[in-house]
Amino acid sequence: MITCVVHYTIDPAQLDAFERFARTWMRLVARHGGVHHGYFLPAEGASDRAEALFSFESLAAYEQYRARFGVDPEFVAADRIREESGCVLRYERTRFVLVDGRVAATWTVDAGVVVVEPLRALTRAERAAVAAEGGAVASFLSEGDNQGVRVVAR
């Protein structure tokens, strides 16, 4: 399972627009096979921060969802809320690999190779499962031409 955490810096004067943006993305994630765990804003402290968490069953399922960005009219419309309102000043996405329901690694894509960085030592079976899933993502990203995955030693 892959869980994404999106860290937002938002415009506190645009909370209504951010809420509209958030509800739209929650619906889209669910419609396209993910589970959205919600958007979180602090009850105290910095009022310009927000977090979102959502999960997909696999890296490949997440990449299929990501492939819709900029193409699917609903995704474009959801991004237009952010662009036109200015409710999001910037954001950063962190992706986590879950093993037995716990965060076990982060991953990125570097020159078509899925790079998995474990947060702890993985068992041989976990490492094989993560490598297989990474290979599926690399294959998806390259339309079957590449299954490159590198699991960084821990």
Side-chain angles (χ1 to χ4, degrees), residues 1-149:
M1 177 169 279
I2 181 82
T3 295
C4 295
V5 179
V6 185
H7 313 279
Y8 293 97
T9 302
I10 63 172
D11 180 346
Q14 296 293 332
L15 287 179
D16 289 343
F18 184 76
E19 184 176 327
R20 202 168 57 252
F21 169 80
R23 289 186 190 284
T24 301
W25 279 111
M26 289 174 75
R27 186 176 35 72
L28 288 172
V29 166
R31 181 178 296 155
H32 294 285
V35 175
H36 207 296
H37 308 290
Y39 282 80
F40 304 90
L41 287 86
E44 56 188 44
S47 62
D48 66 343
R49 302 277 185 220
E51 308 286 328
L53 285 89
F54 56 93
S55 300
F56 282 85
E57 189 58 39
S58 66
L59 295 174
Y62 172 71
E63 286 301 327
Q64 287 175 337
Y65 158 81
R66 291 278 302 150
R68 295 178 167 281
F69 279 76
V71 178
D72 184 297
E74 287 186 296
F75 283 54
V76 172
D79 270 345
R80 194 173 304 121
I81 296 169
R82 174 182 48 84
E83 292 165 3
E84 291 177 357
S85 71
C87 64
V88 175
L89 303 176
R90 76 183 148 274
Y91 65 94
E92 179 182 354
R93 183 178 294 110
T94 304
R95 296 162 290 221
F96 295 100
V97 176
L98 299 182
V99 175
D100 294 330
R102 295 192 173 145
V103 174
T106 62
W107 65 275
T108 56
V109 177
D110 183 22
V113 174
V114 174
V115 180
V116 179
E117 296 186 46
L119 300 174
R120 62 171 173 80
L122 300 177
T123 67
R124 187 172 292 156
E126 291 170 338
R127 194 175 191 79
V130 168
E133 193 65 44
V137 170
S139 179
F140 172 78
L141 292 174
S142 66
E143 297 181 355
D145 292 337
N146 178 15
Q147 292 185 340
V149 63

